[in-house]
Amino acid sequence: SSLEIWCYDFVNGLNSAFAKYFEISIYCLIMITVSIGVWQSVDGHEDDFSTVEWFAIYVFTAEYIIRLIGVPADPMFDDKGNWFVCRLRFLISFYSIVDLLAIVPFYLAAAFPGSWADDYDEMFRMLRLLRLIKLDKYFPSITLIDDVVRLKWNALKVAGFAALTLWIIFAAMVFIFEVHDNVNEIDSVPLYGCDSDCTMMDRFQNLFDSIIYVGVHLTGDYPITTYSWGARFVNFFMVIAAVGVVSIPSGLVASGFTEIVDSKNKLKRGEIDPDHIAGDDWYEKRLRDLKNVDPPPSPLGPFVDKLQLSVNVFLNGNENGKYSTTAFIFRMFVFAIIILNVFAVMLESIPEIDRAVGNGDGNFFAMFEAFSVTVFAVEYILRLFCAPKNRESLYSTLVYAGTFFGIVDFLSTAPWFIEAALIHYNVIGSDSEQAKIFRIFRIFRMLQLEDFIVAFSKLDNVFRASQNVLKATGLMAMIIWVGCAALFFLFEENNPNWRSCDMSIPLRSDDPNAPGCYDFPSTAACNEFYDGMCTQRAFTNVPNSLYYVAVFLGGEWGVIDFTWPGRFVCMFLCVAGIALYAIPIGTLFDSFGVVLGLADDDEEEEEEEEEEDSPVMA
C-alpha cells in the first residue's frame, strides 16, 4: 500500500528531504544516547540527561513502529504479499532484535519500579550501547563479516589451524614450567585464591589459564615477564616463530574486509572514472582547471598587480617552483625560526629553565617570541596580499585563508596577540597558568614545516580517498571499542584483583562485624561498610573501561588478571578485535601512500613537460 511504501521510504531516508533529515537525526540521536549511557555509568551521574534519554526512547520507538509498518515494501523481507510472514521475518531479524534490546528494558524498568528490573539496572543501561549497531543499517560493517569469512575461508582454515596448534602447544609448554613456579612473585590475585605473597603458580593453575596468558603474548605484548628460565626459553621461540603465524588469520580477515567494502562500493558507483584521482574534491578539480590560466589583474591598478606578482614569486617560487637566492635564504631563515620556536617551547616547559629565565618582559624567551611573531605575522600578511596571484590559492585571498597553510599561518601568530590583549586588560597575569597555555600553542608552528615537507595538508585527500572503507570499518571499530568496554565494565567492575583497601582493613576475616577487604561481593559494598576506605583501580565505570580497552586495542595489556567472562572478552580482542580495530588506521596509511604517490607522479609529469618544452642546445 501507499502507506507502507511511504513508511519504508521515510525510515530509510528516501525520496524526500524530510526523510533524509530524519535519518540524519537518528544518527545524531544514537551517538548522543550512547554518550549519555557512557556518562551515566559514572557514580553520582546515573540520572543525568534522563529527559534526553526518554525523548530518545520515544523517537526510537516511533521509528521502530514506522519501520514495522513499512516492512512489506522492504525488498529484504518481501514475501509475495503475505504481510504477516514478512513482518514475522522482520521481528526475528538481526536489526529488529537490536532495536528491541535497546528499547524494551526502559519500558520494563518503568512498568516494574523497585522490582527485579532494578536489580539488573546496570545491565539494562549497558544495553543502550547496542544502539551503535543500529548504525550498521546505514553503514554496513558487522553484517559484512560473514562475507569476509566466505571470501577468505580456504586461507583461514589453513592459517587458523596452524595458529591454534601453535597457540595450544606453547600454552602447554609455558604451563609445564609455571605451574610449580613459587619463586617469581606477583601482585595479589584474590580472585584466584591468593591474598598475599603470590607467585606465578597462582596465575598458572591449569592449562586454560595458560592459554589466556599465552594468547595475549601472541598479540606481541608481554604484560607478564617474571617467568622462570624454562618459560623464558619457550617465550623466546614463541616470539620468533609463533607471533607471526598467529597474526596471519587476523591479517586475512582485515584484508578481506577491505576487499569486500571496496568491491561493494565499486558496484554502487559503477566503473571507476579513468580521470579519477584518489581523494580529489572541488579544490583539486578547480586547481587543475586553472593550470594554464593567468591570474586576474588587480582592481587596485598595475602597480599593485606587479607588486603582488613579485611577492608571490618571492614566497612561492616561479612557475617551475624555483626560488631566487634571496627567497631561498628567507625560506631557510623561516625554517630555522620554526625549529627554534619548537625548542623554545620545550625549554620553557622545564621548571628549572623556566625559573631561571622566566617569562617576564625583556627576558630572552619574551624577546625571541616577539621577534618570531613579527616575522610570522609579516609573512602571513604578505601571503594574504599575494594570494590573488597564487594558483595554489585559486587566485583568492579567502581561499588561501581557509586552506591548511592559511589556517596554520594564522594560528602561528594569533595566540600571541590574544595573550597580549588579555594581559593588557588584566584578564590574565603574565606568569599565570593561562598564559602558559597560550605559549604552548606555539608548538603548532611546527605545522608550518608543511611548506617545506608535504604531509598534513594531504590528510583531507587521504580521508576522501579512504572514506568508503572508513565508514564501514570505522563504525565496526567503534562498536568493538565501546562494546568490549561495556562488557569489561560489567564483568570486571567488582573483580577483587583490582581492589585495594586501607591498611586498617584485613584482607580476609571470619568476623562478621569486621569483614575483610576481599570478603565483599563488590567495592561499593566494601565502601558502604568502611566508608570511603576501599578503592577499585580499574573498570570502575564505562569511561574508565574505554580507556583501558583503547590501550588493549593498541596491543598493550596493562592489566591481565581478569575474571573468566573478562578473559573471553580478552580472547576476542586478541583473536579478532585488535585486527578489525586496526583496519581504519591501515586504510588511512594505504590511502596516504596512494595520495602522496600521485603527488609525486604529478611532479614527475610536470618536470617531463618542462624538459620537452625547453630548447635543445646544440
Side-chain angles (χ1 to χ4, degrees), residues 546-564:
L546 284 170
Y547 164 74
Y548 278 102
V549 174
V551 174
F552 298 161
L553 289 167
E556 297 290 334
W557 294 83
V559 292
I560 195 66
D561 297 311
F562 302 114
T563 61
W564 269 108

mmCIF file of all heavy atoms in Angstrom, residues 546-564:
data_model
loop_
_atom_site.group_PDB
_atom_site.id
_atom_site.type_symbol
_atom_site.label_atom_id
_atom_site.label_comp_id
_atom_site.label_asym_id
_atom_site.label_seq_id
_atom_site.Cartn_x
_atom_site.Cartn_y
_atom_site.Cartn_z
ATOM 1 N N LEU A 546 36.650 2.359 28.755
ATOM 2 C CA LEU A 546 37.001 2.791 27.405
ATOM 3 C C LEU A 546 38.489 3.098 27.304
ATOM 4 O O LEU A 546 39.135 2.791 26.282
ATOM 5 C CB LEU A 546 36.190 4.033 27.018
ATOM 6 C CG LEU A 546 34.726 3.803 26.654
ATOM 7 C CD1 LEU A 546 33.994 5.132 26.544
ATOM 8 C CD2 LEU A 546 34.610 3.032 25.338
ATOM 9 N N TYR A 547 39.039 3.706 28.356
ATOM 10 C CA TYR A 547 40.478 3.997 28.362
ATOM 11 C C TYR A 547 41.295 2.709 28.296
ATOM 12 O O TYR A 547 42.206 2.571 27.467
ATOM 13 C CB TYR A 547 40.836 4.790 29.615
ATOM 14 C CG TYR A 547 42.317 4.808 29.899
ATOM 15 C CD1 TYR A 547 43.182 5.578 29.129
ATOM 16 C CD2 TYR A 547 42.862 4.034 30.923
ATOM 17 C CE1 TYR A 547 44.549 5.584 29.371
ATOM 18 C CE2 TYR A 547 44.223 4.031 31.174
ATOM 19 C CZ TYR A 547 45.054 4.804 30.398
ATOM 20 O OH TYR A 547 46.402 4.807 30.635
ATOM 21 N N TYR A 548 40.956 1.758 29.156
ATOM 22 C CA TYR A 548 41.720 0.506 29.177
ATOM 23 C C TYR A 548 41.589 -0.258 27.857
ATOM 24 O O TYR A 548 42.575 -0.783 27.337
ATOM 25 C CB TYR A 548 41.251 -0.375 30.336
ATOM 26 C CG TYR A 548 41.875 -0.005 31.658
ATOM 27 C CD1 TYR A 548 41.169 0.723 32.609
ATOM 28 C CD2 TYR A 548 43.175 -0.367 31.959
ATOM 29 C CE1 TYR A 548 41.740 1.070 33.822
ATOM 30 C CE2 TYR A 548 43.758 -0.024 33.165
ATOM 31 C CZ TYR A 548 43.043 0.695 34.096
ATOM 32 O OH TYR A 548 43.617 1.042 35.293
ATOM 33 N N VAL A 549 40.370 -0.311 27.316
ATOM 34 C CA VAL A 549 40.173 -1.053 26.073
ATOM 35 C C VAL A 549 40.908 -0.366 24.917
ATOM 36 O O VAL A 549 41.427 -1.035 24.021
ATOM 37 C CB VAL A 549 38.678 -1.206 25.759
ATOM 38 C CG1 VAL A 549 38.458 -1.837 24.389
ATOM 39 C CG2 VAL A 549 38.012 -2.061 26.832
ATOM 40 N N ALA A 550 40.965 0.959 24.929
ATOM 41 C CA ALA A 550 41.738 1.665 23.903
ATOM 42 C C ALA A 550 43.207 1.250 23.957
ATOM 43 O O ALA A 550 43.852 1.055 22.927
ATOM 44 C CB ALA A 550 41.603 3.181 24.094
ATOM 45 N N VAL A 551 43.722 1.089 25.176
ATOM 46 C CA VAL A 551 45.101 0.628 25.341
ATOM 47 C C VAL A 551 45.238 -0.817 24.853
ATOM 48 O O VAL A 551 46.195 -1.161 24.152
ATOM 49 C CB VAL A 551 45.548 0.758 26.810
ATOM 50 C CG1 VAL A 551 46.929 0.151 27.014
ATOM 51 C CG2 VAL A 551 45.557 2.226 27.233
ATOM 52 N N PHE A 552 44.276 -1.664 25.212
ATOM 53 C CA PHE A 552 44.308 -3.064 24.763
ATOM 54 C C PHE A 552 44.298 -3.153 23.244
ATOM 55 O O PHE A 552 45.032 -3.941 22.646
ATOM 56 C CB PHE A 552 43.092 -3.835 25.303
ATOM 57 C CG PHE A 552 43.010 -3.919 26.804
ATOM 58 C CD1 PHE A 552 41.805 -4.214 27.422
ATOM 59 C CD2 PHE A 552 44.134 -3.698 27.598
ATOM 60 C CE1 PHE A 552 41.716 -4.298 28.809
ATOM 61 C CE2 PHE A 552 44.047 -3.779 28.978
ATOM 62 C CZ PHE A 552 42.835 -4.072 29.586
ATOM 63 N N LEU A 553 43.449 -2.345 22.610
ATOM 64 C CA LEU A 553 43.342 -2.382 21.154
ATOM 65 C C LEU A 553 44.594 -1.860 20.470
ATOM 66 O O LEU A 553 44.810 -2.115 19.283
ATOM 67 C CB LEU A 553 42.116 -1.580 20.697
ATOM 68 C CG LEU A 553 40.763 -2.233 21.019
ATOM 69 C CD1 LEU A 553 39.626 -1.240 20.815
ATOM 70 C CD2 LEU A 553 40.552 -3.472 20.166
ATOM 71 N N GLY A 554 45.396 -1.132 21.205
ATOM 72 C CA GLY A 554 46.699 -0.709 20.689
ATOM 73 C C GLY A 554 47.755 -1.783 20.841
ATOM 74 O O GLY A 554 48.905 -1.600 20.425
ATOM 75 N N GLY A 555 47.364 -2.924 21.445
ATOM 76 C CA GLY A 555 48.299 -4.039 21.593
ATOM 77 C C GLY A 555 49.025 -4.050 22.917
ATOM 78 O O GLY A 555 49.975 -4.816 23.102
ATOM 79 N N GLU A 556 48.605 -3.207 23.871
ATOM 80 C CA GLU A 556 49.248 -3.157 25.191
ATOM 81 C C GLU A 556 48.232 -3.588 26.245
ATOM 82 O O GLU A 556 47.105 -3.103 26.265
ATOM 83 C CB GLU A 556 49.744 -1.739 25.499
ATOM 84 C CG GLU A 556 50.814 -1.234 24.551
ATOM 85 C CD GLU A 556 52.136 -1.956 24.730
ATOM 86 O OE1 GLU A 556 52.387 -2.456 25.834
ATOM 87 O OE2 GLU A 556 52.916 -2.015 23.759
ATOM 88 N N TRP A 557 48.662 -4.506 27.123
ATOM 89 C CA TRP A 557 47.768 -5.032 28.155
ATOM 90 C C TRP A 557 48.331 -4.651 29.521
ATOM 91 O O TRP A 557 49.157 -5.344 30.095
ATOM 92 C CB TRP A 557 47.632 -6.543 28.019
ATOM 93 C CG TRP A 557 46.939 -6.927 26.750
ATOM 94 C CD1 TRP A 557 47.498 -7.045 25.514
ATOM 95 C CD2 TRP A 557 45.540 -7.187 26.592
ATOM 96 N NE1 TRP A 557 46.536 -7.374 24.584
ATOM 97 C CE2 TRP A 557 45.321 -7.476 25.223
ATOM 98 C CE3 TRP A 557 44.458 -7.220 27.463
ATOM 99 C CZ2 TRP A 557 44.065 -7.780 24.714
ATOM 100 C CZ3 TRP A 557 43.205 -7.535 26.952
ATOM 101 C CH2 TRP A 557 43.011 -7.800 25.594
ATOM 102 N N GLY A 558 47.847 -3.506 30.032
ATOM 103 C CA GLY A 558 48.338 -3.021 31.319
ATOM 104 C C GLY A 558 47.849 -3.844 32.490
ATOM 105 O O GLY A 558 48.500 -3.892 33.536
ATOM 106 N N VAL A 559 46.668 -4.460 32.342
ATOM 107 C CA VAL A 559 46.135 -5.372 33.366
ATOM 108 C C VAL A 559 45.767 -6.670 32.662
ATOM 109 O O VAL A 559 45.404 -6.677 31.488
ATOM 110 C CB VAL A 559 44.918 -4.773 34.101
ATOM 111 C CG1 VAL A 559 45.322 -3.588 34.947
ATOM 112 C CG2 VAL A 559 43.832 -4.360 33.101
ATOM 113 N N ILE A 560 45.829 -7.788 33.378
ATOM 114 C CA ILE A 560 45.683 -9.079 32.703
ATOM 115 C C ILE A 560 44.926 -10.116 33.525
ATOM 116 O O ILE A 560 44.435 -11.106 32.971
ATOM 117 C CB ILE A 560 47.086 -9.619 32.335
ATOM 118 C CG1 ILE A 560 46.995 -10.768 31.317
ATOM 119 C CG2 ILE A 560 47.850 -10.032 33.577
ATOM 120 C CD1 ILE A 560 46.471 -10.370 29.986
ATOM 121 N N ASP A 561 44.791 -9.916 34.821
ATOM 122 C CA ASP A 561 44.204 -10.943 35.687
ATOM 123 C C ASP A 561 42.683 -10.785 35.764
ATOM 124 O O ASP A 561 42.125 -10.360 36.786
ATOM 125 C CB ASP A 561 44.830 -10.876 37.080
ATOM 126 C CG ASP A 561 46.320 -11.167 37.035
ATOM 127 O OD1 ASP A 561 46.703 -12.168 36.409
ATOM 128 O OD2 ASP A 561 47.101 -10.382 37.614
ATOM 129 N N PHE A 562 42.006 -11.153 34.686
ATOM 130 C CA PHE A 562 40.569 -10.942 34.557
ATOM 131 C C PHE A 562 39.770 -12.083 35.194
ATOM 132 O O PHE A 562 40.292 -13.156 35.485
ATOM 133 C CB PHE A 562 40.181 -10.852 33.077
ATOM 134 C CG PHE A 562 40.887 -9.755 32.320
ATOM 135 C CD1 PHE A 562 41.781 -10.056 31.298
ATOM 136 C CD2 PHE A 562 40.654 -8.428 32.612
ATOM 137 C CE1 PHE A 562 42.424 -9.059 30.589
ATOM 138 C CE2 PHE A 562 41.290 -7.418 31.923
ATOM 139 C CZ PHE A 562 42.182 -7.733 30.909
ATOM 140 N N THR A 563 38.455 -11.813 35.327
ATOM 141 C CA THR A 563 37.516 -12.890 35.640
ATOM 142 C C THR A 563 37.380 -13.759 34.383
ATOM 143 O O THR A 563 37.827 -13.381 33.299
ATOM 144 C CB THR A 563 36.142 -12.320 36.011
ATOM 145 O OG1 THR A 563 35.632 -11.592 34.874
ATOM 146 C CG2 THR A 563 36.233 -11.377 37.198
ATOM 147 N N TRP A 564 36.712 -14.922 34.515
ATOM 148 C CA TRP A 564 36.567 -15.777 33.336
ATOM 149 C C TRP A 564 35.746 -15.124 32.229
ATOM 150 O O TRP A 564 36.134 -15.198 31.055
ATOM 151 C CB TRP A 564 35.994 -17.140 33.723
ATOM 152 C CG TRP A 564 37.099 -18.111 34.024
ATOM 153 C CD1 TRP A 564 37.465 -18.602 35.221
ATOM 154 C CD2 TRP A 564 38.010 -18.677 33.067
ATOM 155 N NE1 TRP A 564 38.558 -19.441 35.100
ATOM 156 C CE2 TRP A 564 38.909 -19.512 33.783
ATOM 157 C CE3 TRP A 564 38.175 -18.558 31.692
ATOM 158 C CZ2 TRP A 564 39.933 -20.216 33.165
ATOM 159 C CZ3 TRP A 564 39.201 -19.251 31.063
ATOM 160 C CH2 TRP A 564 40.064 -20.069 31.802
#
